[in-house]
Structures are given as C-alpha cells and as structure tokens.
Amino acid sequence: MISELQTVRIDELSLDSGEVLRDVAVAYETYGRLNERKSNAILILHAFTGDAHAAGVDKDGKDGWWSSMIGPGKAFDTDRYFVLCSNVLGGCRGTTGPSSPDPATGKPYAMGFPVITIGDMVRLQHRLVESLGISQLLAVSGGSMGGMQALEWAVAFPESVYACIPIATTGRHTAQQIAFNEVGRQAIVADPDFHAGSYYESKPPARGLAVARMVGHITYMSDDSMREKFGRRLRGREEFSYGFDADFEVESYLRYRGSQFVGRFDANSYLYITKAMDYFDLTAGYGSLGASLERAKCRFLVISFTSDWLYPSYQSLEIVNALRSRNHDVTYCELSSSYGHDAFLVDVTHQTGIVRGFLARCERELEAAR
Amino acid sequence: MISELQTVRIDELSLDSGEVLRDVAVAYETYGRLNERKSNAILILHAFTGDAHAAGVDKDGKDGWWSSMIGPGKAFDTDRYFVLCSNVLGGCRGTTGPSSPDPATGKPYAMGFPVITIGDMVRLQHRLVESLGISQLLAVSGGSMGGMQALEWAVAFPESVYACIPIATTGRHTAQQIAFNEVGRQAIVADPDFHAGSYYESKPPARGLAVARMVGHITYMSDDSMREKFGRRLRGREEFSYGFDADFEVESYLRYRGSQFVGRFDANSYLYITKAMDYFDLTAGYGSLGASLERAKCRFLVISFTSDWLYPSYQSLEIVNALRSRNHDVTYCELSSSYGHDAFLVDVTHQTGIVRGFLARCERELEAAR
C-alpha cells in the first residue's frame, strides 16, 4: 500500500486564544476508498510526535506509525473503510506550525506562532473533513494525544461522529503529566541554540531537544519493558568503564533516540504541542467530565493498558464512568500488556480484535438506522 | 539540638576502579553520646543529594534532612543512641569530591576525579567509624541511596554491623532507574557552561543542573501527591496565559526547585554520585542477591512505601526474599503512603514506631549476648 501526502489550504482558522491564523495548510494521507454515501470514513488522530503518515509505505519506503492497525484486513480495514489522518496544527510535517512561514512576513512564525489547543487542532480537522464532503465520520480514533482529539471531536462536533475510540488517554492532564512536559520544555529553552525560538537560520537546539526526547522515551516504556529490552546489560564491554561514556545499553539507546529525534522534529513544535496537551481539559466550561460528555452523541470504545503509567487505566476509567453516568453506549477494555504507554502502537493483537468487532457493530447499526 | 560539622582526614583510600585517592576529607555530624562500651552507635547514610547534616539545627538555622527521625525521643533516639552521619565520597558538602582540590595540582579535580562506587563510599565511612574507636555499629540505616550503602555495609563489613535498616531502596538499579539518572547527566553535559566539568573558575552549568533536578523531583513524588499538592491549579492567574510562562503551579514549583538546587549542589557531584548508584549491584561477584547477602551477619528491617514508583516495593521484596532464602533474621514492612519515594523523609509516623521497636529489640539482644 503506497501512501501519498496531500495538502489542503484553509483561508483562516479562529483559535481558542482569540487569535486568527490565515492560510493554514493541512497535510493528510488517505487509505482505502470513500463509498458513495460517504459513510465509511474513519479519522485517525496521531499522538504527540506522530504525523499524517499513519499507514502504508511512503515515498521514502517508510512504514506508517500505525501500519500494524491500518490496512487491508487490519483493525481499520482499508478494504472496508476510508481512513484518513492529518498532521496536527502546530506540527512540523506539512501542517502549519511554528516552522511554517508567517504569511505576514514570509519568515517562519517561530515563537510568534499563537498558542494552540487540542480544540483548535480538531476544528482544523473538521474543516478538512468538510472539504472532502464528509458530513459524518464513522469513527474517530487515536492513542495518547490522539485520544484527546478523539474525545474533543465527540464533544465539539457531536453530529459529525458516529463512534469514538480513545486509547491510552485522559480527559485532562494531571500535575505529573504536565510536569514531564514541562521538563522537556525547560530542556529546550535552556539550550543556548534555542534563541527564543528563532533558530531556523542558525542551528536547532539539538541538545535540549534530545534531552526532552529522552525523558519522553522513559515515560513511553514500562519498568518491565525496559528490563526486558535492556536490563543491566553493558554496551560493547564486559566491565564498567569507570568513566562517563555509555556503560549500559539503555544509556546508549536513549542517547541515540534523542539525537535521532532532532532530525525529524522541530523544537518549537515540541513546545506548542506539549502546551496544547497540558491545556486540554474536557471538563473546562462544563464543570465535570459527565457534563461535558453529555454533549456527545456517539458510541464509545475506550481502551487502556495495564502497564501504561503515563496514561494509567484509572484515567480511562474516569472517562468510562462519566459516560456511564450519562447513559452513553460505552465499552471499556483494559488490555494486559508489558509495553507501557507504547502498547497502543506495538502490542496490537488484542486491540485489533476489539476495534474490528466494535467497528463492525457500528457499521451494522448505522446501516440498520438508515 | 545544635549540630556541628566535623572533619577527619584519611591519608589514602583505594577505590574499586583501581585508583587511589590521597588526603581524603570526611565531613560528619554526630548527635547523642557514645556510651562507654561504644555499643550504641548508629550510622545514618544519606540519599543522593543529602549531606552530613541529618539532624538538629546547623549554624545557619537549617534543620537536618532527617530531623523528623533523629533526635531526643525520636525513632533514632539521641537520648539512647550515638548517631552519626557523614557526607558521601564524591559529594560537595565537606567530604572530598570533584569540587575538592586535587593535592597533586591544588586545583579542583573536576572530571579528573576518579569514578567512585557505593563500595568506595562505604569503605571511607568504615575508616571514619574506626577513627572514632567504634568496632561495631548497633545499626546502619538510610533511604534510597542511603539504603544501598546500608546493604553494602552489611555485606562488606559483616563484623561491624549488628543491624541493618535499608529503606525505599534496591539491591541494584534497573534499566529505568539508570535511564532517569542518564537523562539528568545528559542535561548537565549538554549545558555549554559545563566545559567538560571545568567550570569552577567560570559559572556552573546551572540550566542543565536545574533540568536534571526537575526530572528528579517528579520521580520523588507520586502521581497522587502531585495531584494533592498542585492538581491543575493555575499560578497567580484565572485563565491560561496562552504563552510559555508558567501557567500551572506545578510548572513554577519545578522551575523554582530546579534553580534553587543549583545554589547548593555541584554538577560534577551529580554526575559522579548518579554513576555510583547505577554501578551499584549487590549481586556482582556473587551471582545472586542471596549469595551476596549470605555474607551478612546482622538482622534486617526492610521498609518500602506503597506509592514509591522510583524504588518500588518489589525491589525491597527481592532483598527480603534473598535474606529469607539464607535464613537471615529479617522483618519487612511495606508502609502505606501517598508521598511516593519522598515518603521515607516526610511520612514518618509509622516508620518511627517500626524503627524504634526494631532498635529496642536489637539493643536488648545485644545486651543479652554479652
């Protein structure tokens, strides 16, 4: 399956901050075919550092980040469904973000980019979906920050969503989740190459961004999966170095993943997107998760993973219980996995069966309701 | 209770790395009085960023880091026991470390300081204890890295320890624990003010050290205690700033604690001491915890805390089960607390009763055995 990045442009987008963004690009990919009634579209929402390349193989031969879940015969079966995924607002992979040129100056926005929210991301996606002539999505789904967007879709555009599948996510960040993001931001801002975000004509704050990514990686894995993958194994040596080179495999892995990340992600996007996650609060303006989710009109499949300590199961249960308190149609699955938060990306066997069954039911009911 | 920092000097100390340190200073404090038989001494071992000032009030009016546990009528009752605590080797609070002058050059060792181990720290403490004419300690105790030292004492100097109280600790660091330390080290090394450790005549790598400390703080607290202390409360504002100032209280707290740390801790000590923790492996050279702990001759009280995810209870249980496998005298208490790893410092009510009872039993048995 070959995937191709497409782009639409939106004249202007009003933001939660009160600012207005003009000439906004939205980069997206699609897989499978939209049926005549346009009733088989599924919008996939990516996590923090993901992008529009969710499935298939791109022109560089790179697999999509959720290729395990999207494709012919897979959970999001492209023989049945028309699947689309767009890079989020504020991103750095084709959709307008801080590294994009500001139409007013022709130079990158940098820190002149307005602070954005999960709500802004979703409103832009809604414009994309409208531009494709789709009035209702069969489903919205994503893990982590993708799950936040899925929940926001259900509440902000209740008529446009038939089913919602938030995975390994939360209705709002806790102090601990904000704290981890803040450490990453401070690592970037502390890098003298950051230059208050205006580094596009010099060099990026590579060291700060790498440290931020290292923190992230630890939170994405579990104690068990790190033990399994690295343990206390030494790297290319039998004895301690008694120096500050990487002694342990886990050290060199983190250093490698940190430095590798710098080549594919923009430090300003790191700041803006983490801020959007921290601001996200489904209860804001409603007083409770229940009151907020009361607006939703879709059925829900909520999934979490036992070893995910970054978005622990209790946060999914808060969503589930809020949905139940409003008598919504909700299925909850806590899946057993040792992979931590990464499980929604890498441990997909059970997730596949559950999503497939849920989507088949949704299709059937939607058909019956016609 | 007024406490006073004292110093002894040791001519030379052989290290696990094979290097030899000369003219080593050991800074320590003592509380209570050594009895005539010198049988009532308790050595307290401090955690990573602690120091010799464990109890009482120092000349600057500052309370000791374990004043809640050490003093008249407290768990480590200074009316009964002679309590001492020394700054660890590699530290920056009076004991020789990378910021100390190298006798060969008169200038700070900086990164010329040899890499040290928990074993080296303990051998230096043993020299201090010997210098005070104490042949056997009634007890050794500490939390976190202090617990590692307590365990090392029991194995390395079995004749010199009557009882061992390791708290919230482990027999060896897991990949996750190494990973968190490595992030802190990389944050320091990434700071251009680091200058390969030779920053004593310029300015310290303050931004990197602050980021390292921020990561540490998150791991010392629990999800629950952060929610309790900060939640999603905004700092001095009612609305989001839609900017990159600290919006949330947890952000400004972390920034404050990070910057405050720079004034009291040396970045090179951060590197050396975290490396010593990562190298620590009680099984090394023995093959298993049981084989290693077989050397010990003391009785053990092992304590862990339910919400401590940095040194989770299962790591204490590994120690306890290894001790049981060799038929050692061991009591294990997993205490309920929401304070995370910090619990051993701040949630001491139950810990106090348990330690006090254990020490009274040890005293009684030691007396009966005379």
Side-chain angles (χ1 to χ4, degrees), chain A residues 48 111 114-118 121 145 148 173 177-178 181-182 185-186 267-281, chain B residues 232 234 237 239-252 255:
Chain A
F48 173 22
M111 295 287 278
V115 166
I116 46 150
T117 65
I118 300 290
M121 293 176 186
M145 189 182 82
M148 298 179 201
H173 262 190
Q177 289 162 330
I178 295 170
N181 275 347
E182 173 68 1
R185 286 191 291 264
Q186 288 302 309
N268 283 329
S269 282
Y270 198 105
L271 300 181
Y272 279 88
I273 297 176
T274 55
K275 199 74 180 173
M277 283 192 270
D278 291 348
Y279 275 5
F280 179 62
D281 182 355
Chain B
R232 288 181 56 83
L234 301 179
R237 59 176 87 240
E239 300 279 340
F240 293 150
S241 71
Y242 289 106
F244 287 92
D245 287 344
D247 281 285
F248 296 98
E249 280 191 7
V250 65
E251 293 174 307
S252 55
R255 291 183 193 185

Side-chain angles (χ1 to χ4, degrees), chain A residues 45-335:
Chain A
L45 295 327
H46 71 72
F48 173 22
T49 65
D51 55 27
H53 183 41
V57 174
D58 69 9
K59 60 178 166 41
D60 301 325
K62 199 184 155 209
D63 260 335
W65 56 268
W66 226 8
S67 285
S68 57
M69 288 287 291
I70 305 166
K74 296 184 179 171
F76 299 101
D77 185 349
T78 50
D79 290 338
R80 306 183 68 86
Y81 309 118
F82 174 69
V83 178
L84 68 156
C85 181
S86 68
N87 186 210
V88 296
L89 181 66
C92 48
R93 309 282 290 179
T95 293
T96 295
S99 59
S100 307
D102 178 349
T105 65
K107 291 188 173 170
Y109 282 103
M111 295 287 278
F113 196 72
V115 166
I116 46 150
T117 65
I118 300 290
D120 296 330
M121 293 176 186
V122 165
R123 274 199 309 284
L124 183 60
Q125 290 155 4
H126 187 250
R127 301 283 285 277
L128 166 66
V129 169
E130 273 185 331
S131 79
L132 299 174
I134 299 164
S135 60
Q136 188 184 52
L137 294 160
L138 175 62
V140 292
S141 181
S144 200
M145 189 182 82
M148 298 179 201
Q149 295 165 68
L151 291 166
E152 177 73 17
W153 260 96
V155 170
F157 299 103
E159 310 292 345
S160 308
V161 182
Y162 190 77
C164 177
I165 311 177
I167 304 176
T169 194
T170 182
R172 54 178 172 175
H173 262 190
T174 60
Q176 191 188 60
Q177 289 162 330
I178 295 170
F180 275 119
N181 275 347
E182 173 68 1
V183 167
R185 286 191 291 264
Q186 288 302 309
I188 290 167
V189 169
D191 189 324
D193 293 331
F194 177 62
H195 293 303
S198 297
Y199 50 76
Y200 296 109
E201 290 179 6
S202 51
K203 55 180 181 176
R207 290 163 297 184
L209 185 57
V211 168
R213 183 59 168 178
M214 291 172 67
V215 179
H217 260 295
I218 302 175
T219 64
Y220 305 152
M221 297 182 75
S222 73
D223 183 15
D224 276 351
S225 65
M226 291 193 102
R227 180 182 298 103
E228 178 87 8
K229 187 163 184 166
F230 311 111
R232 288 179 56 83
R233 277 192 303 282
L234 301 180
R235 173 171 165 78
R237 60 175 87 241
E238 303 208 340
E239 299 279 338
F240 293 150
S241 71
Y242 289 105
F244 288 93
D245 287 343
D247 280 285
F248 296 98
E249 280 191 7
V250 66
E251 294 174 307
S252 55
Y253 173 83
L254 287 176
R255 291 183 193 185
Y256 172 72
R257 294 300 291 259
S259 61
Q260 192 198 36
F261 184 61
V262 173
R264 72 170 181 89
F265 210 80
D266 176 51
N268 283 329
S269 282
Y270 198 105
L271 300 181
Y272 279 88
I273 297 176
T274 55
K275 199 74 180 173
M277 283 192 270
D278 291 348
Y279 275 5
F280 179 62
D281 182 355
L282 210 57
T283 72
Y286 295 96
S288 72
L289 270 180
S292 160
L293 287 165
E294 187 163 343
R295 284 179 54 84
K297 295 187 170 175
C298 58
R299 55 272 321 117
F300 288 83
L301 168 63
V302 179
I303 297 175
S304 69
F305 295 90
T306 49
S307 59
D308 183 351
W309 60 275
L310 185 60
Y311 292 91
S313 287
Y314 80 80
Q315 298 188 340
S316 285
L317 256 180
E318 285 172 1
I319 296 164
V320 169
N321 289 338
L323 288 167
R324 285 176 177 150
S325 78
R326 306 297 157 143
N327 208 24
H328 275 298
D329 178 342
V330 54
T331 302
Y332 173 53
C333 295
E334 185 189 36
L335 299 180

